[in-house]
């Protein structure tokens, strides 16, 4: 699988979530969700973080750019769905560790996962509010328990930097950064209805629900212009 650069940000053109999951099972890595906003705002430091890990197209803008470069099979893989698909495939086979969210959110997430996936083996979890020394203790716990899959929901690039430190001690695991996915999973944050998602209009739904996002959405127009003019 070849890494494709979009504005200097590496993305792998997977044709499906299943293909990505099969690939990372054979090539353990840190999964990084890449969308138009990340590409347009990526500094050299952020590009370095994204590119040394496994970026996948989490937004329709990234998919559009990949197809413009000739990768017609590339598809959108929503990170807030991907982690659950990984659990669905491996819940009875692999072990899991979860980090992130408020204390009540991570507790609710673990409880719901155990209800939705009765065979899941969660060997550890904790909230994302790490105080001085907590990160070293967390990394040591992961190195000791050696979970197969680790989810970190703390937002970029904080979660990627933490996962890289974990990976140095436990390189055999699959890692995925989840941002606010625990809040979505426990229904503390609403996601767009299925119709909007299916028609690649999730960004429009969020804009309707939160008009203040218009300043962020303007960057999508910049991104599309740069793709159409072969600047990305």
């Amino acid at each position: 699988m070849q890494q494709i650069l979009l504005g200097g940000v590496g993305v792998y053109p997977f044709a499906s979530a299943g293909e990505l999951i099969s690939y990372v099972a054979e090539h353990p890595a840190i999964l990084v969700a890449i969308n138009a906003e990340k590409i347009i705002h990526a500094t050299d430091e952020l590009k370095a973080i994204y590119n040394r890990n496994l970026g996948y197209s989490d937004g329709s803008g990234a998919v559009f750019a990949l197809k413009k470069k000739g990768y017609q099979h590339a598809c959108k893989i929503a990170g807030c769905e991907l982690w659950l698909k990984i659990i669905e495939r491996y819940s009875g086979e692999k072990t899991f560790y979860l980090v992130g969210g408020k204390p009540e959110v991570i507790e609710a997430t673990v409880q719901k996962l155990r209800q939705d996936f009765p065979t899941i083996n969660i060997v550890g979890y904790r909230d994302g509010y790490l105080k001085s020394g907590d990160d070293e203790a967390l990394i040591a716990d992961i190195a000791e328990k050696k979970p197969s899959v680790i989810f970190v929901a703390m937002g970029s690039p904080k979660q990627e930097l933490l996962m890289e430190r974990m990976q140095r001690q436990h390189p055999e695991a699959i890692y995925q950064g989840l941002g606010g996915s625990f809040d979505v999973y426990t229904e503390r944050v609403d996601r767009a209805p299925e119709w909007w998602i299916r028609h690649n209009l999730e960004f429009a739904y969020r804009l309707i629900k939160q008009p203040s996002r218009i300043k962020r959405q303007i960057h999508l127009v910049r991104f599309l212009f740069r793709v159409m003019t072969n600047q990305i």
Side-chain angles (χ1 to χ4, degrees), residues 25-194:
E26 295 295 326
H27 307 86
I30 295 173
L31 300 177
V32 181
I34 301 297
N35 55 30
E37 194 169 2
K38 279 187 176 177
I39 295 170
I40 207 81
H41 292 305
T43 62
D44 288 343
E45 181 182 6
L46 288 174
K47 288 176 185 178
I49 294 171
Y50 300 152
N51 294 352
R52 59 182 176 249
N53 296 303
L54 199 159
Y56 62 93
S57 52
D58 180 55
S60 55
V63 173
F64 178 71
L66 286 170
K67 290 187 175 182
K68 184 72 164 50
K69 288 182 177 290
Y71 297 90
Q72 298 301 318
H73 62 279
C75 76
K76 176 182 174 180
I77 302 173
C80 62
E81 299 173 359
L82 176 62
W83 74 290
L84 295 173
K85 291 178 179 179
I86 292 173
I87 293 173
E88 183 176 17
R89 181 180 293 193
Y90 294 119
S91 64
E93 177 182 341
K94 297 184 182 295
T95 55
F96 297 84
Y97 202 113
L98 289 79
V99 180
K102 296 178 180 178
E104 62 271 21
V105 172
I106 190 66
E107 291 287 348
T109 299
V110 169
Q111 182 179 4
K112 190 171 190 296
L113 286 172
R114 286 172 172 160
Q115 291 173 348
D116 293 345
F117 304 95
T119 61
I120 192 170
N121 183 4
I122 299 173
V123 296
Y125 65 91
R126 68 148 296 148
D127 63 74
Y129 292 80
L130 303 178
K131 300 175 184 177
S132 178
D134 286 352
D135 50 350
E136 287 87 355
L138 171 62
I139 293 168
D141 193 46
I142 285 172
E144 178 183 349
K145 293 178 178 175
K146 299 189 182 305
S148 309
V149 183
I150 300 160
F151 299 118
V152 181
M154 299 176 71
S156 294
K158 186 176 182 180
Q159 61 191 16
E160 282 78 26
L161 293 172
L162 179 58
M163 288 188 291
E164 287 187 333
R165 292 175 62 196
M166 295 174 177
Q167 189 185 49
R168 286 194 285 271
Q169 299 299 320
H170 181 38
E172 299 86 5
I174 296 170
Y175 295 81
Q176 185 186 352
L178 297 183
S181 293
F182 292 164
D183 291 300
V184 174
Y185 180 60
T186 57
E187 300 181 346
R188 283 164 168 78
V189 173
D190 291 331
R191 195 183 176 200
E194 179 61 30

